Amino acid sequence: MADPYGFLKHDRADAKKRPADERLGDWGEVYLDLGADTRDKQVRTQASRCMDCGIPFCHSGSAGCPLGNLIPEWNDLVRRGDWGQASDRLHATNNFPEFTGRLCPAPCEAACVLAISHDGGGAVAIKRVEQAIADVSWEQGLVQPSQAQVTSGKRVAVVGSGPAGLAAAQQLTRAGHEVTVYERDDRLGGLLRYGIPEFKLEKKVLDRRLAQLRKEGTKFVTGCEVGVDLTVAELRSRFDAVVLAVGALRGRDDTSTPGRRLAGVHLAMDHLVPANRACEGDGPPAVDAAGKHVVIIGGGDTGADCYGTATRQGAASVVQLDQYPQPPSRRDDERSPWPVWPWILRTYPAHEEAGERKFAVAVEEFVGDEHGHVKQIRLRKVRVEKDASGRRAVVPTSEEVEVLPADLVLLAIGFEGVEHLPLLGGLGIELTARGTISCGSDWQTQAPGVFVCGDAHRGASLVVWAIAEGRSVAHAVDSFLTGSSDLPSPVIPN
Ligand code: SF4
């Protein structure tokens, strides 16, 4: 039974961050290490604010947690200091809470009944509690390999080692299937490894989870592009089922703005991947912001990741541009063009550190020097409105043009879907108009025995959705191979 007065006694308090100057001097995670005692005490207080609602909107449904995390249960266990039970209940629905605790924008907090208090900012600090449970679980040795009791004799290939692929692999291995994860890169983790900067997710957090999967029996093959290095015929002959978890990494480009092809204008991933590789010890990044005037186009998560990366690399200046107006507050969201919070919450820790943001502007031209390298961008004030067909249109609102210096321009304007992989052609799978892979209600694609999950199915989305889809596809594959499944299936295909 929760403390029904907890939220009246204590205000919400978010985790403290390290000073901005200190953060800029290294690649370590943003949040302050308070030491276990202080962290545990503070988090227990925050967990005590949960009212254990009769209908916990945080827990599931269209706005809450896609994983169906048992939030009121573990809030109360943490309040009472029972970290062991809290760890059990958290891991019952979430394979990787240390990833969601760090990376998820927490739709559960937006759905929390207490979000109506304190001008919309009074929700229980669910994400903070989740991360603390995950961290305590590792510190106290509560996360152990969980080996299958019986084996099925069935073999499953998972293509892609991002959060969706890893969740599917862990669930299927634990169900007794022989699972091999194929990764075309040299290291495992997909976007977790090479997309998310170290200051948001230190890779040792990923590596310790991968070690657990290995001990449970999941096999991994890196540097192997399925459909090229392993042919489709070999894939089909070796495995009883295939899970496609290949992500949606095709970056949206800006093909219409004059000067796009100038040297120094890159897609965001051209910046983030080498920066993450440099953190892994692979040498200086090919696209480096050091000493440069950096302009980032796009106001979302990926843009913020480029922002924090560029400032840490020692950029001379960093400016992030957004076509949309600055959101006034969470409560004033009817003025925002963004669908719903958490997508509206667009201020990130990186923005507190250095640099500048400009809202309601669009690039008119990338201007080059005599060597064909970008040197400036020309901006104009705009507003975004819907045209007669309901499509968004960017309309200039001023004749005035602003010119910014720019040696490095990063396009962080979204993703268009799955890359055109040889594997898909070999399997006879065509992409939808959205650039994703469609499936039936059993997660099976148009290729029999081939399933899909995560961003490849959903389009670029949240880490929590990737894990939820990975768990659900595991249920579907287990049913396909054995006729039924006891594995959970928290979400259905969209
Ligand atoms: Fe607790 Fe908020 Fe969930 Fe209610 S909605 S159970 S207060 S976390």
Side-chain angles (χ1 to χ4, degrees):
M1 176 63 191
D3 176 359
Y5 302 107
F7 75 99
L8 295 173
K9 296 181 205 157
H10 308 289
D11 282 340
R12 175 185 167 113
D14 290 307
K16 283 209 164 32
K17 301 176 198 112
R18 295 192 289 136
D21 285 352
E22 182 184 314
R23 276 144 54 187
L24 287 175
D26 61 44
W27 291 91
E29 287 185 0
V30 162
Y31 291 94
L32 196 60
D33 182 355
L34 296 166
D37 288 349
T38 306
R39 175 200 59 198
D40 297 356
K41 190 159 165 275
Q42 290 186 359
V43 169
R44 286 180 65 180
T45 301
Q46 289 303 305
S48 77
R49 295 183 67 245
C50 176
M51 302 184 293
D52 191 13
C53 300
I55 299 175
F57 293 108
C58 57
H59 154 74
S60 64
S62 58
C65 179
L67 285 164
N69 274 348
L70 304 165
I71 293 165
E73 275 191 53
W74 40 257
N75 273 337
D76 193 47
L77 290 162
V78 168
R79 176 183 73 85
R80 292 192 271 122
D82 190 345
W83 294 94
Q85 280 290 324
S87 177
D88 274 358
R89 302 312 286 149
L90 177 55
H91 282 94
T93 60
N94 187 350
N95 298 67
F96 313 127
E98 66 276 29
F99 303 160
T100 45
R102 285 168 170 79
L103 304 174
C104 182
C108 54
E109 292 189 9
C112 172
V113 174
L114 284 175
I116 61 173
S117 64
H118 296 80
D119 193 26
V124 174
I126 301 168
K127 187 170 135 102
R128 185 177 179 192
V129 178
E130 180 184 43
Q131 182 175 339
I133 299 171
D135 289 348
V136 170
S137 301
W138 285 97
E139 288 161 16
Q140 297 188 358
L142 303 173
V143 181
Q144 294 295 330
S146 174
Q147 258 116 13
Q149 298 303 308
V150 289
T151 53
S152 69
K154 302 289 186 185
R155 287 183 292 191
V156 182
V158 175
V159 185
S161 67
L166 292 178
Q170 184 165 56
Q171 293 294 93
L172 287 164
T173 302
R174 288 175 172 180
H177 306 299
E178 189 184 311
V179 179
T180 305
V181 178
Y182 288 95
E183 170 56 57
R184 71 180 172 182
D185 271 322
D186 53 345
R187 296 183 181 95
L188 297 167
L191 267 187
L192 296 170
R193 174 79 61 187
Y194 288 136
I196 305 289
E198 188 83 1
F199 59 83
K200 284 173 68 178
L201 176 73
E202 291 179 5
K203 300 307 176 268
K204 63 186 180 192
V205 173
L206 170 60
D207 289 333
R208 69 186 179 188
R209 186 58 83 171
L210 288 167
Q212 183 206 30
L213 268 74
R214 278 197 181 92
K215 284 185 188 151
E216 290 173 349
T218 302
K219 297 189 175 84
F220 293 98
V221 179
T222 54
C224 177
E225 181 165 3
V226 179
V228 178
D229 305 306
L230 178 76
T231 67
V232 170
E234 288 168 328
L235 179 76
R236 288 302 220 167
S237 68
R238 287 184 201 175
F239 295 97
D240 300 293
V242 176
V243 175
L244 302 178
V246 294
L249 291 168
R250 189 151 46 90
R252 180 168 291 127
D253 205 341
D254 173 5
T255 51
S256 59
T257 303
R260 161 62 185 97
R261 296 297 156 204
L262 288 167
V265 182
H266 297 274
L267 297 181
M269 282 298 154
D270 297 340
H271 178 227
L272 292 175
V273 173
N276 278 309
R277 284 189 170 281
C279 286
E280 295 273 2
D282 288 353
V287 176
D288 192 347
K292 293 185 179 145
H293 296 290
V294 180
V295 177
I296 300 159
I297 299 170
D301 271 39
T302 307
D305 291 347
C306 290
Y307 193 106
T309 299
T311 51
R312 280 162 180 75
Q313 287 177 331
S317 67
V318 179
V319 183
Q320 186 176 10
L321 311 180
D322 197 325
Q323 290 178 333
Y324 295 110
Q326 184 162 19
S329 76
R330 290 183 195 177
R331 293 300 301 276
D332 206 6
D333 54 5
E334 73 276 7
R335 286 175 56 187
S336 168
W338 293 81
V340 286
W341 191 83
W343 290 274
I344 187 179
L345 183 65
R346 292 182 295 147
T347 298
Y348 301 83
H351 295 129
E352 302 159 358
E353 295 163 354
E356 184 189 353
R357 302 175 80 186
K358 286 182 180 289
F359 294 92
V361 291
V363 179
E364 203 169 65
E365 183 183 2
F366 304 106
V367 182
D369 62 17
E370 65 276 21
H371 305 295
H373 197 286
V374 66
K375 68 170 183 180
Q376 291 174 335
I377 60 166
R378 292 161 57 84
L379 301 180
R380 203 186 283 272
K381 279 278 179 197
V382 296
R383 82 170 165 267
V384 180
E385 57 185 32
K386 289 193 176 165
D387 64 18
S389 65
R391 296 175 60 141
R392 286 181 185 161
V394 179
V395 181
T397 60
S398 161
E399 286 304 305
E400 207 175 306
V401 170
E402 183 178 1
V403 177
L404 295 180
D407 309 310
L408 174 61
V409 176
L410 301 169
L411 304 177
I413 50 178
F415 295 89
E416 290 191 328
V418 178
E419 295 164 277
H420 297 292
L421 304 169
L423 170 62
L424 301 183
L427 290 169
I429 291 175
E430 290 175 10
L431 299 181
T432 66
R434 291 177 53 236
T436 54
I437 299 171
S438 64
C439 63
S441 59
D442 62 353
W443 299 91
Q444 203 165 177
T445 67
Q446 55 204 113
V450 179
F451 298 75
V452 65
C453 64
D455 286 1
H457 159 255
R458 191 174 185 81
S461 185
L462 309 179
V463 64
V464 68
W465 273 102
I467 298 170
E469 292 208 356
R471 287 171 71 82
S472 299
V473 88
H475 170 96
V477 172
D478 191 32
S479 301
F480 172 79
L481 294 174
T482 67
S484 65
S485 178
D486 292 330
L487 294 175
S489 182
V491 292
I492 56 174
N494 59 12

